[in-house]
Amino acid sequence: MAKTHVIDGVTYKEVERRAQVGELVINPNDGIPTKVTAVSDNSVDVEGYLTVDEDEIGVDSVVGILHGYYRVLEPIDPPQKTTTDELLEITANLTRRVFDLERENKRLRDDVTETLGTITDLLRRRDRRIEEIERKVFDTSSLKPFDLATLNGKRVTLLHGEDGGYEILAAKDEDGNFYVISEKEACK
């Protein structure tokens, strides 16, 4: 029957075979378990530890063990997940999901900002075009014949535009009234 050891709450059994990096081994001479850090043809390197020599006079430092002079410790039952382990795993998963959602939220926010910028640019261009058209065209049906006496002392704005086949020069007073100054057939 294989000898067993309990380390950090996990039960291990001793097995005679070559160890691999990361496994626990024990030297039967000193009974101290340690982790394998490297494997070569004739030995294993281990996480170093100190032992008292045979005469109990000096201290030996162990950093490697020859093949055949150690036993591999294999867990009999895999360690049970504790609630702490489960909570850490849940927390890690939630953290990843929050990070992914934040990244997606930023991408969507950037898309919305870009789209709003495009819409704003289009609206500005539309408004400039409407203003440009309004400057060129105005309704001549509300125009009154030009009477200089009516405009005496008023501030006026001169307007030029086309109505059908006619070119019209008009004035707009500060009250919003329009007056035709001249009307002639447009040049083709």
Side-chain angles (χ1 to χ4, degrees), residues 51-60:
T51 63
V52 178
D53 66 10
E54 294 173 6
D55 301 328
E56 295 186 11
I57 298 173
V59 175
D60 290 332

Side-chain angles (χ1 to χ4, degrees), residues 101-164:
L101 289 171
E102 285 175 343
R103 185 175 48 208
E104 178 67 11
N105 187 29
K106 182 185 180 316
R107 187 190 65 75
L108 290 172
R109 195 172 38 236
D110 290 347
D111 287 351
V112 167
T113 301
E114 182 181 336
T115 301
L116 285 175
T118 302
I119 290 170
T120 302
D121 288 346
L122 289 171
L123 290 173
R124 284 184 184 141
R125 277 192 249 157
R126 181 208 63 186
D127 291 345
R128 282 193 302 269
R129 182 69 180 137
I130 288 171
E131 288 172 3
E132 182 181 311
I133 291 170
E134 284 177 347
R135 280 194 300 269
K136 291 181 179 179
V137 177
F138 56 92
D139 182 17
T140 59
S141 63
S142 63
L143 297 179
K144 300 175 183 162
F146 178 68
D147 181 3
L148 189 56
T150 311
L151 298 176
N152 194 17
K154 292 186 177 181
R155 178 183 295 233
V156 295
T157 303
L158 293 177
L159 304 167
H160 179 260
E162 291 185 18
D163 182 23

Side-chain angles (χ1 to χ4, degrees), residues 33-49:
T34 186
K35 186 182 276 189
V36 175
T37 58
V39 178
S40 67
D41 289 338
N42 59 353
S43 66
V44 292
D45 292 343
V46 295
E47 292 179 348
Y49 63 94

Side-chain angles (χ1 to χ4, degrees), residues 1 4-5 16 38-39 47 61-62 67 76 78 84 94 104-105 109 113 116 123 135 153-154 158 170-171 173 179 183:
M1 173 126 175
T4 62
H5 303 272
E16 284 190 47
V39 178
E47 292 179 348
S61 174
V62 178
H67 293 305
I76 294 175
T84 303
L94 288 174
E104 178 67 11
N105 187 29
R109 195 172 38 236
T113 301
L116 285 175
L123 290 173
R135 280 194 300 269
K154 292 186 177 181
L158 293 177
D173 68 16
Y179 302 92
E183 185 177 10

